[in-house]
Amino acid sequence: MGMRIGLGFDSHAFKADVPLVIGGLKIDHPEGLAGHSDGDLLLHAITDALLGAVSAGDIGTFFPPTDPKWKGTDSTVFLKTALEEVALAGYKIVNLDCVLIMHRPKIVPIAEKMRERVADLLGIDMKDVSLKGKTPEGLPQDGTAVAHVVVLLESITIPDEHKHLTLHAEAPLDADIDGVVGELVRDTHDISALGRKVPAFDPGDDLT
């Protein structure tokens, strides 16, 4: 069984009069995080970790910050695209380890709720999501939040009925293919508008 590891990183500056969203969770705080989208640095880091694990580029590959249509976008859209890339590559999530670094708000009091939200978005068990809150001791990061994420993937064994379909069908139906992808990500998504762009990777793109 094949295993793959992905590493994700993101950072955003705090900004007044902006809603604070971290891990898909709206947090009551006087400042939010500045960014082209909703500034959800944890989902951005998870997205990049997933895409990196299957060599699919990064967020900027699919959602360039130069494109105004992604302004203020809910970052769950980015995450769904990454999950689709992972499924199409034939992998599933084993677990992920996340670190959030910021002076405030304090992450520990809301860590369990955030883990639950992230697990729900990824379609995995909460026990497979680790989340740690740290303060940047000795570092001048009062106005910045940083996220690090490591994800482990494993290859998927295709069920026998789908192997039979591949071997004996002249051409698999679209419905059959959609069903397989839906099983892999635990939720069927319309990927027609969210698929891989060409070229697949441009290191010059950066969502932040």
Side-chain angles (χ1 to χ4, degrees):
M1 180 174 290
M3 312 291 286
R4 305 198 71 159
I5 296 173
L7 173 64
F9 167 86
D10 197 23
S11 64
H12 288 273
F14 282 96
K15 182 179 180 181
D17 301 321
V18 174
L20 180 60
V21 182
I22 302 178
L25 197 66
K26 294 182 178 179
I27 301 170
D28 184 17
H29 191 67
E31 295 180 311
L33 294 170
H36 185 66
S37 63
D38 61 3
D40 191 332
L41 80 166
L42 180 55
L43 293 194
H44 296 174
I46 294 173
T47 298
D48 267 356
L50 292 170
L51 292 173
V54 293
S55 302
D58 65 359
I59 294 177
T61 306
F62 297 86
F63 307 97
T66 53
D67 191 335
K69 72 180 179 182
W70 304 121
K71 180 67 175 176
T73 298
D74 187 327
S75 292
T76 59
V77 172
F78 309 152
L79 192 62
K80 288 178 182 178
T81 300
L83 288 171
E84 287 154 2
E85 289 293 313
V86 168
L88 290 170
Y91 288 85
K92 66 179 181 179
I93 299 171
V94 176
N95 72 295
L96 68 157
D97 190 14
C98 312
V99 180
L100 287 170
I101 307 171
M102 64 191 75
H103 279 295
R104 60 190 69 81
K106 297 299 183 183
I107 297 301
V108 173
I110 57 176
E112 292 304 293
K113 190 173 182 180
M114 195 174 291
R115 286 178 60 216
E116 183 178 12
R117 175 60 174 156
V118 169
D120 182 61
L121 289 171
L122 295 176
I124 61 177
D125 197 294
M126 184 175 165
K127 67 179 176 57
D128 297 323
V129 178
S130 169
L131 178 64
K132 294 166 286 189
K134 303 290 184 179
T135 55
E137 298 294 341
L139 299 177
Q141 290 183 200
D142 286 356
T144 306
V146 175
H148 296 270
V149 173
V150 176
V151 64
L152 177 64
L153 307 180
E154 68 178 1
S155 58
I156 297 169
T157 301
I158 301 176
D160 289 339
E161 59 267 26
H162 297 309
K163 290 181 181 178
H164 180 80
L165 173 67
T166 302
L167 290 172
H168 299 288
E170 293 183 3
L173 299 175
D174 289 343
D176 294 318
I177 296 173
D178 289 343
V180 175
V181 173
E183 286 180 19
L184 300 184
V185 299
R186 301 189 185 182
D187 188 16
T188 302
H189 303 297
D190 178 8
I191 64 173
S192 60
L194 298 176
R196 184 189 300 277
K197 303 288 191 299
V198 178
F201 178 62
D202 182 354
D205 285 334
D206 182 359
L207 186 70
T208 60

